[in-house]
PDB file of all heavy atoms in Angstrom:
ATOM      1  N   GLY A 289     -17.674  26.000 -14.988  1.00 68.00           N
ATOM      2  CA  GLY A 289     -17.917  26.062 -16.420  1.00 68.00           C
ATOM      3  C   GLY A 289     -18.975  27.093 -16.766  1.00 68.00           C
ATOM      4  O   GLY A 289     -18.824  27.863 -17.727  1.00 68.00           O
ATOM      5  N   ARG A 290     -20.038  27.131 -15.973  1.00 75.00           N
ATOM      6  CA  ARG A 290     -21.089  28.113 -16.226  1.00 75.00           C
ATOM      7  C   ARG A 290     -20.596  29.537 -15.980  1.00 75.00           C
ATOM      8  O   ARG A 290     -20.917  30.455 -16.735  1.00 75.00           O
ATOM      9  CB  ARG A 290     -22.303  27.814 -15.346  1.00 75.00           C
ATOM     10  CG  ARG A 290     -23.077  26.579 -15.772  1.00 75.00           C
ATOM     11  CD  ARG A 290     -24.419  26.515 -15.100  1.00 75.00           C
ATOM     12  NE  ARG A 290     -24.303  26.381 -13.656  1.00 75.00           N
ATOM     13  CZ  ARG A 290     -24.279  25.229 -13.009  1.00 75.00           C
ATOM     14  NH1 ARG A 290     -24.351  24.093 -13.698  1.00 75.00           N
ATOM     15  NH2 ARG A 290     -24.194  25.184 -11.703  1.00 75.00           N
ATOM     16  N   ALA A 291     -19.792  29.714 -14.898  1.00 69.00           N
ATOM     17  CA  ALA A 291     -19.278  31.049 -14.597  1.00 69.00           C
ATOM     18  C   ALA A 291     -18.336  31.535 -15.687  1.00 69.00           C
ATOM     19  O   ALA A 291     -18.352  32.709 -16.076  1.00 69.00           O
ATOM     20  CB  ALA A 291     -18.560  31.034 -13.253  1.00 69.00           C
ATOM     21  N   LYS A 292     -17.533  30.613 -16.215  1.00 65.00           N
ATOM     22  CA  LYS A 292     -16.582  30.984 -17.258  1.00 65.00           C
ATOM     23  C   LYS A 292     -17.316  31.381 -18.528  1.00 65.00           C
ATOM     24  O   LYS A 292     -16.923  32.323 -19.226  1.00 65.00           O
ATOM     25  CB  LYS A 292     -15.637  29.815 -17.528  1.00 65.00           C
ATOM     26  CG  LYS A 292     -14.439  30.166 -18.394  1.00 65.00           C
ATOM     27  CD  LYS A 292     -13.448  29.012 -18.428  1.00 65.00           C
ATOM     28  CE  LYS A 292     -12.208  29.403 -19.219  1.00 65.00           C
ATOM     29  NZ  LYS A 292     -11.226  28.286 -19.267  1.00 65.00           N
ATOM     30  N   GLU A 293     -18.388  30.665 -18.828  1.00 68.00           N
ATOM     31  CA  GLU A 293     -19.180  31.026 -19.997  1.00 68.00           C
ATOM     32  C   GLU A 293     -19.819  32.402 -19.833  1.00 68.00           C
ATOM     33  O   GLU A 293     -19.980  33.152 -20.794  1.00 68.00           O
ATOM     34  CB  GLU A 293     -20.275  29.975 -20.220  1.00 68.00           C
ATOM     35  CG  GLU A 293     -19.738  28.631 -20.704  1.00 68.00           C
ATOM     36  CD  GLU A 293     -20.832  27.591 -20.791  1.00 68.00           C
ATOM     37  OE1 GLU A 293     -22.005  27.953 -20.507  1.00 68.00           O
ATOM     38  OE2 GLU A 293     -20.534  26.435 -21.126  1.00 68.00           O
ATOM     39  N   ALA A 294     -20.180  32.728 -18.571  1.00 70.00           N
ATOM     40  CA  ALA A 294     -20.888  33.980 -18.321  1.00 70.00           C
ATOM     41  C   ALA A 294     -19.975  35.200 -18.392  1.00 70.00           C
ATOM     42  O   ALA A 294     -20.337  36.235 -18.945  1.00 70.00           O
ATOM     43  CB  ALA A 294     -21.576  33.925 -16.966  1.00 70.00           C
ATOM     44  N   ASN A 295     -18.755  35.066 -17.802  1.00 68.00           N
ATOM     45  CA  ASN A 295     -17.905  36.262 -17.747  1.00 68.00           C
ATOM     46  C   ASN A 295     -16.496  36.074 -18.271  1.00 68.00           C
ATOM     47  O   ASN A 295     -15.726  37.032 -18.308  1.00 68.00           O
ATOM     48  CB  ASN A 295     -17.845  36.784 -16.301  1.00 68.00           C
ATOM     49  CG  ASN A 295     -17.340  35.737 -15.325  1.00 68.00           C
ATOM     50  OD1 ASN A 295     -16.454  34.938 -15.630  1.00 68.00           O
ATOM     51  ND2 ASN A 295     -17.915  35.701 -14.121  1.00 68.00           N
ATOM     52  N   GLY A 296     -16.136  34.828 -18.650  1.00 57.00           N
ATOM     53  CA  GLY A 296     -14.825  34.619 -19.264  1.00 57.00           C
ATOM     54  C   GLY A 296     -13.649  34.798 -18.336  1.00 57.00           C
ATOM     55  O   GLY A 296     -12.533  35.046 -18.774  1.00 57.00           O
ATOM     56  N   THR A 297     -13.840  34.691 -17.014  1.00 53.00           N
ATOM     57  CA  THR A 297     -12.755  34.883 -16.067  1.00 53.00           C
ATOM     58  C   THR A 297     -12.654  33.713 -15.132  1.00 53.00           C
ATOM     59  O   THR A 297     -13.624  32.978 -14.912  1.00 53.00           O
ATOM     60  CB  THR A 297     -12.941  36.167 -15.226  1.00 53.00           C
ATOM     61  OG1 THR A 297     -14.150  36.043 -14.457  1.00 53.00           O
ATOM     62  CG2 THR A 297     -13.013  37.382 -16.123  1.00 53.00           C
ATOM     63  N   GLY A 298     -11.481  33.549 -14.527  1.00 50.00           N
ATOM     64  CA  GLY A 298     -11.258  32.561 -13.484  1.00 50.00           C
ATOM     65  C   GLY A 298     -10.568  33.235 -12.324  1.00 50.00           C
ATOM     66  O   GLY A 298      -9.931  34.265 -12.487  1.00 50.00           O
ATOM     67  N   ASN A 299     -10.714  32.673 -11.128  1.00 55.00           N
ATOM     68  CA  ASN A 299     -10.020  33.275  -9.990  1.00 55.00           C
ATOM     69  C   ASN A 299      -9.700  32.236  -8.943  1.00 55.00           C
ATOM     70  O   ASN A 299     -10.038  31.064  -9.082  1.00 55.00           O
ATOM     71  CB  ASN A 299     -10.840  34.428  -9.389  1.00 55.00           C
ATOM     72  CG  ASN A 299     -12.243  33.998  -8.997  1.00 55.00           C
ATOM     73  OD1 ASN A 299     -12.482  32.811  -8.790  1.00 55.00           O
ATOM     74  ND2 ASN A 299     -13.135  34.961  -8.939  1.00 55.00           N
TER      75      ASN A 299
END
Side-chain angles (χ1 to χ4, degrees):
R290 288 194 296 268
K292 191 171 184 180
E293 289 175 2
N295 57 37
T297 62
N299 55 22

